[in-house]
Amino acid sequence: MKKVLKVINKENGELLEDLTFDGGYNIIFTNLSDGGNLRRIRKLDNGKFGDKHWIKNYQYRPTALRLVDKFKELNHIDPYKILFIEDMEWEPGTAKNPWIAKTKLANKEMREMLGYEYILEIRNYYIERMQREQIVALLYHELLHIDKDGSLKNHDIEDWGNLVATLGKDWATTKARIKDILDEEFEVWNQLEPVAKQLNMFTGIRMVR
């Protein structure tokens, strides 16, 4: 679907910008009357991001919205402030425990200009080998890193205890089907017993960082 963006001077009708495009868009504008604060309209759902990444807001944000709505531990998160990107070229090398996905804070420039507070990066190599239920669990896993004060927090064990107790320690790499945590019948997480958290259950397991 083609979109048209026109910017017109209301005082004299002069056409300042006339753009036709078929992708997403971000718009940043200011009003000097309110001190020049940046106003943002974020509709950049897909597009290239650097040499090897692709913006995948359209693919991951709807699932993130459902997760935030369903799980109270995620209710403080605004998925519209997360830029979802996918590395389209990465392949396994010599690293012993490569990460599948990671969440990081956006730098000051990106926060101010685009309004994104976090970047959630996923490697396409793994996504292509995952079932839908695993991708949903992966997004939940990454959203859990965002704390209520806006900072990023670490796992409570080598992974999140509720994910391991409910889906198994190899939930991200198993070939067997795991539970769909967005299913209407899924309501309660299992939890590891305190003594179990002291055991080194995860040696050699490739997990998301």
Short mmCIF file of all heavy atoms in Angstrom, two decimals, residues 18-54:
data_model
loop_
_atom_site.label_atom_id
_atom_site.label_comp_id
_atom_site.label_asym_id
_atom_site.label_seq_id
_atom_site.Cartn_x
_atom_site.Cartn_y
_atom_site.Cartn_z
N ASP A 18 6.66 16.43 -0.21
CA ASP A 18 5.69 15.57 -0.89
C ASP A 18 6.36 14.22 -1.11
O ASP A 18 7.13 14.03 -2.04
CB ASP A 18 5.27 16.19 -2.22
CG ASP A 18 4.12 15.41 -2.87
OD1 ASP A 18 3.71 14.38 -2.31
OD2 ASP A 18 3.65 15.84 -3.94
N LEU A 19 6.08 13.26 -0.20
CA LEU A 19 6.75 11.96 -0.22
C LEU A 19 5.74 10.84 -0.45
O LEU A 19 4.67 10.82 0.13
CB LEU A 19 7.47 11.72 1.11
CG LEU A 19 8.50 12.78 1.55
CD1 LEU A 19 9.01 12.45 2.94
CD2 LEU A 19 9.65 12.84 0.55
N THR A 20 6.11 9.90 -1.31
CA THR A 20 5.32 8.69 -1.54
C THR A 20 6.19 7.49 -1.18
O THR A 20 7.34 7.40 -1.62
CB THR A 20 4.86 8.59 -2.99
OG1 THR A 20 4.07 9.74 -3.32
CG2 THR A 20 4.03 7.33 -3.21
N PHE A 21 5.67 6.57 -0.38
CA PHE A 21 6.46 5.43 0.07
C PHE A 21 5.53 4.29 0.44
O PHE A 21 4.31 4.47 0.60
CB PHE A 21 7.34 5.81 1.27
CG PHE A 21 6.58 6.43 2.41
CD1 PHE A 21 6.18 5.66 3.48
CD2 PHE A 21 6.25 7.78 2.40
CE1 PHE A 21 5.47 6.21 4.53
CE2 PHE A 21 5.53 8.34 3.45
CZ PHE A 21 5.14 7.56 4.52
N ASP A 22 6.09 3.08 0.58
CA ASP A 22 5.27 1.92 0.90
C ASP A 22 5.76 1.18 2.15
O ASP A 22 5.38 0.04 2.40
CB ASP A 22 5.20 0.95 -0.28
CG ASP A 22 6.58 0.48 -0.72
OD1 ASP A 22 7.56 0.78 -0.03
OD2 ASP A 22 6.65 -0.20 -1.76
N GLY A 23 6.61 1.83 2.95
CA GLY A 23 7.09 1.24 4.20
C GLY A 23 6.55 1.99 5.40
O GLY A 23 5.55 2.70 5.31
N GLY A 24 7.23 1.82 6.53
CA GLY A 24 6.83 2.52 7.74
C GLY A 24 7.45 3.90 7.81
O GLY A 24 8.19 4.33 6.92
N TYR A 25 7.17 4.62 8.89
CA TYR A 25 7.71 5.97 9.02
C TYR A 25 7.76 6.38 10.48
O TYR A 25 7.01 5.87 11.31
CB TYR A 25 6.86 6.97 8.24
CG TYR A 25 5.40 7.02 8.66
CD1 TYR A 25 4.95 7.89 9.64
CD2 TYR A 25 4.46 6.18 8.05
CE1 TYR A 25 3.62 7.93 10.02
CE2 TYR A 25 3.12 6.21 8.42
CZ TYR A 25 2.71 7.09 9.41
OH TYR A 25 1.38 7.11 9.79
N ASN A 26 8.70 7.25 10.79
CA ASN A 26 8.77 7.96 12.06
C ASN A 26 8.70 9.44 11.75
O ASN A 26 9.36 9.90 10.81
CB ASN A 26 10.07 7.67 12.81
CG ASN A 26 10.03 6.36 13.59
OD1 ASN A 26 9.04 5.64 13.53
ND2 ASN A 26 11.09 6.06 14.29
N ILE A 27 7.95 10.19 12.52
CA ILE A 27 7.87 11.64 12.33
C ILE A 27 8.25 12.31 13.64
O ILE A 27 7.75 11.92 14.70
CB ILE A 27 6.45 12.08 11.91
CG1 ILE A 27 6.09 11.47 10.55
CG2 ILE A 27 6.36 13.60 11.85
CD1 ILE A 27 4.67 11.75 10.12
N ILE A 28 9.13 13.27 13.57
CA ILE A 28 9.51 14.07 14.73
C ILE A 28 9.22 15.52 14.40
O ILE A 28 9.60 16.01 13.34
CB ILE A 28 11.02 13.91 15.05
CG1 ILE A 28 11.36 12.43 15.27
CG2 ILE A 28 11.39 14.72 16.30
CD1 ILE A 28 12.83 12.17 15.41
N PHE A 29 8.50 16.21 15.28
CA PHE A 29 8.19 17.61 15.02
C PHE A 29 8.23 18.40 16.32
O PHE A 29 8.22 17.82 17.42
CB PHE A 29 6.82 17.75 14.35
CG PHE A 29 5.66 17.25 15.18
CD1 PHE A 29 4.93 18.12 15.97
CD2 PHE A 29 5.30 15.91 15.16
CE1 PHE A 29 3.87 17.67 16.73
CE2 PHE A 29 4.24 15.44 15.93
CZ PHE A 29 3.52 16.33 16.71
N THR A 30 8.30 19.69 16.20
CA THR A 30 8.36 20.56 17.38
C THR A 30 7.37 21.71 17.24
O THR A 30 6.99 22.09 16.13
CB THR A 30 9.76 21.17 17.57
OG1 THR A 30 10.07 21.99 16.43
CG2 THR A 30 10.81 20.08 17.71
N ASN A 31 6.97 22.24 18.36
CA ASN A 31 6.20 23.48 18.42
C ASN A 31 6.99 24.45 19.30
O ASN A 31 7.23 24.17 20.48
CB ASN A 31 4.81 23.24 19.05
CG ASN A 31 3.91 22.45 18.13
OD1 ASN A 31 3.73 22.79 16.97
ND2 ASN A 31 3.34 21.37 18.65
N LEU A 32 7.41 25.54 18.73
CA LEU A 32 8.19 26.50 19.50
C LEU A 32 7.38 27.09 20.64
O LEU A 32 7.92 27.56 21.64
CB LEU A 32 8.72 27.61 18.59
CG LEU A 32 9.67 27.13 17.48
CD1 LEU A 32 10.15 28.33 16.65
CD2 LEU A 32 10.86 26.38 18.06
N SER A 33 6.06 27.04 20.50
CA SER A 33 5.19 27.61 21.54
C SER A 33 5.25 26.82 22.84
O SER A 33 4.88 27.34 23.90
CB SER A 33 3.74 27.67 21.04
OG SER A 33 3.29 26.37 20.69
N ASP A 34 5.69 25.54 22.80
CA ASP A 34 5.76 24.76 24.03
C ASP A 34 7.21 24.48 24.43
O ASP A 34 7.49 23.51 25.11
CB ASP A 34 4.97 23.46 23.91
CG ASP A 34 5.57 22.50 22.88
OD1 ASP A 34 6.61 22.83 22.29
OD2 ASP A 34 4.99 21.42 22.68
N GLY A 35 8.11 25.33 23.99
CA GLY A 35 9.51 25.21 24.39
C GLY A 35 10.35 24.35 23.47
O GLY A 35 11.49 24.04 23.78
N GLY A 36 9.80 23.96 22.33
CA GLY A 36 10.56 23.19 21.36
C GLY A 36 10.70 21.72 21.69
O GLY A 36 11.58 21.04 21.15
N ASN A 37 9.85 21.20 22.57
CA ASN A 37 9.92 19.78 22.91
C ASN A 37 9.67 18.91 21.68
O ASN A 37 8.81 19.23 20.85
CB ASN A 37 8.90 19.42 23.99
CG ASN A 37 9.23 20.07 25.32
OD1 ASN A 37 10.38 20.18 25.69
ND2 ASN A 37 8.20 20.50 26.04
N LEU A 38 10.42 17.80 21.57
CA LEU A 38 10.24 16.89 20.44
C LEU A 38 8.96 16.08 20.61
O LEU A 38 8.70 15.51 21.66
CB LEU A 38 11.43 15.94 20.33
CG LEU A 38 12.79 16.57 20.00
CD1 LEU A 38 13.86 15.47 19.91
CD2 LEU A 38 12.75 17.36 18.71
N ARG A 39 8.17 16.06 19.56
CA ARG A 39 6.96 15.22 19.51
C ARG A 39 7.21 14.13 18.48
O ARG A 39 7.80 14.38 17.44
CB ARG A 39 5.74 16.04 19.10
CG ARG A 39 5.53 17.30 19.94
CD ARG A 39 5.15 16.97 21.36
NE ARG A 39 4.93 18.16 22.15
CZ ARG A 39 4.62 18.16 23.44
NH1 ARG A 39 4.52 17.01 24.08
NH2 ARG A 39 4.44 19.29 24.10
N ARG A 40 6.78 12.91 18.78
CA ARG A 40 7.11 11.78 17.93
C ARG A 40 5.88 10.98 17.54
O ARG A 40 5.00 10.75 18.36
CB ARG A 40 8.10 10.86 18.63
CG ARG A 40 9.34 11.56 19.17
CD ARG A 40 10.17 10.63 20.02
NE ARG A 40 11.23 11.32 20.73
CZ ARG A 40 11.08 11.89 21.93
NH1 ARG A 40 9.89 11.81 22.53
NH2 ARG A 40 12.08 12.50 22.51
N ILE A 41 5.85 10.57 16.29
CA ILE A 41 4.88 9.60 15.81
C ILE A 41 5.69 8.42 15.28
O ILE A 41 6.40 8.55 14.27
CB ILE A 41 3.99 10.18 14.69
CG1 ILE A 41 3.22 11.41 15.20
CG2 ILE A 41 3.02 9.12 14.17
CD1 ILE A 41 2.43 12.12 14.14
N ARG A 42 5.63 7.28 15.99
CA ARG A 42 6.47 6.14 15.63
C ARG A 42 5.64 5.10 14.87
O ARG A 42 4.78 4.44 15.44
CB ARG A 42 7.09 5.52 16.88
CG ARG A 42 8.12 6.40 17.54
CD ARG A 42 8.87 5.66 18.65
NE ARG A 42 7.99 5.28 19.73
CZ ARG A 42 7.68 6.09 20.76
NH1 ARG A 42 8.19 7.30 20.82
NH2 ARG A 42 6.87 5.68 21.71
N LYS A 43 5.89 4.99 13.59
CA LYS A 43 5.21 4.01 12.74
C LYS A 43 6.22 3.25 11.89
O LYS A 43 5.89 2.74 10.82
CB LYS A 43 4.20 4.72 11.81
CG LYS A 43 3.07 5.43 12.53
CD LYS A 43 2.08 4.44 13.14
CE LYS A 43 0.89 5.15 13.75
NZ LYS A 43 -0.10 4.22 14.32
N LEU A 44 7.47 3.21 12.35
CA LEU A 44 8.53 2.55 11.59
C LEU A 44 8.51 1.06 11.91
O LEU A 44 9.23 0.59 12.78
CB LEU A 44 9.88 3.17 11.93
CG LEU A 44 11.05 2.79 11.03
CD1 LEU A 44 10.74 3.12 9.58
CD2 LEU A 44 12.31 3.51 11.47
N ASP A 45 7.67 0.32 11.21
CA ASP A 45 7.46 -1.09 11.54
C ASP A 45 8.48 -2.02 10.91
O ASP A 45 8.72 -3.11 11.40
CB ASP A 45 6.05 -1.52 11.13
CG ASP A 45 5.00 -0.90 12.04
OD1 ASP A 45 5.34 -0.58 13.19
OD2 ASP A 45 3.86 -0.72 11.60
N ASN A 46 9.04 -1.63 9.78
CA ASN A 46 10.08 -2.45 9.16
C ASN A 46 11.01 -1.56 8.35
O ASN A 46 10.71 -0.41 8.06
CB ASN A 46 9.49 -3.58 8.29
CG ASN A 46 8.62 -3.04 7.17
OD1 ASN A 46 8.56 -1.83 6.93
ND2 ASN A 46 7.96 -3.92 6.46
N GLY A 47 12.15 -2.10 8.00
CA GLY A 47 13.15 -1.35 7.25
C GLY A 47 14.54 -1.77 7.67
O GLY A 47 14.74 -2.38 8.73
N LYS A 48 15.52 -1.45 6.86
CA LYS A 48 16.89 -1.84 7.15
C LYS A 48 17.46 -0.97 8.25
O LYS A 48 17.22 0.23 8.32
CB LYS A 48 17.75 -1.74 5.88
CG LYS A 48 19.03 -2.56 5.97
CD LYS A 48 19.61 -2.82 4.60
CE LYS A 48 20.80 -3.78 4.73
NZ LYS A 48 21.47 -4.00 3.43
N PHE A 49 18.28 -1.59 9.11
CA PHE A 49 18.89 -0.90 10.24
C PHE A 49 20.37 -1.23 10.22
O PHE A 49 20.80 -2.27 10.73
CB PHE A 49 18.23 -1.37 11.55
CG PHE A 49 18.67 -0.61 12.78
CD1 PHE A 49 18.12 0.63 13.07
CD2 PHE A 49 19.62 -1.14 13.63
CE1 PHE A 49 18.52 1.32 14.21
CE2 PHE A 49 20.02 -0.45 14.77
CZ PHE A 49 19.47 0.78 15.06
N GLY A 50 21.17 -0.40 9.58
CA GLY A 50 22.58 -0.70 9.42
C GLY A 50 22.82 -1.70 8.31
O GLY A 50 21.95 -1.94 7.45
N ASP A 51 23.98 -2.34 8.33
CA ASP A 51 24.37 -3.23 7.24
C ASP A 51 23.72 -4.60 7.29
O ASP A 51 23.45 -5.21 6.26
CB ASP A 51 25.90 -3.41 7.23
CG ASP A 51 26.62 -2.11 6.88
OD1 ASP A 51 26.02 -1.29 6.16
OD2 ASP A 51 27.77 -1.94 7.33
N LYS A 52 23.45 -5.12 8.50
CA LYS A 52 22.99 -6.51 8.59
C LYS A 52 21.73 -6.70 9.42
O LYS A 52 21.25 -7.82 9.56
CB LYS A 52 24.10 -7.39 9.14
CG LYS A 52 24.54 -7.02 10.56
CD LYS A 52 25.60 -8.00 11.06
CE LYS A 52 25.98 -7.70 12.50
NZ LYS A 52 26.95 -8.70 13.03
N HIS A 53 21.19 -5.62 9.97
CA HIS A 53 19.99 -5.74 10.80
C HIS A 53 18.76 -5.25 10.04
O HIS A 53 18.86 -4.41 9.14
CB HIS A 53 20.15 -4.94 12.09
CG HIS A 53 21.17 -5.51 13.02
ND1 HIS A 53 22.51 -5.23 12.92
CD2 HIS A 53 21.05 -6.35 14.08
CE1 HIS A 53 23.17 -5.86 13.87
NE2 HIS A 53 22.31 -6.55 14.59
N TRP A 54 17.62 -5.76 10.48
CA TRP A 54 16.34 -5.35 9.91
C TRP A 54 15.39 -5.05 11.05
O TRP A 54 15.30 -5.80 12.02
CB TRP A 54 15.76 -6.46 9.03
CG TRP A 54 14.72 -5.96 8.08
CD1 TRP A 54 13.38 -5.93 8.27
CD2 TRP A 54 14.94 -5.39 6.78
NE1 TRP A 54 12.73 -5.39 7.19
CE2 TRP A 54 13.67 -5.05 6.25
CE3 TRP A 54 16.07 -5.14 6.01
CZ2 TRP A 54 13.51 -4.48 4.99
CZ3 TRP A 54 15.92 -4.57 4.76
CH2 TRP A 54 14.65 -4.25 4.26
#
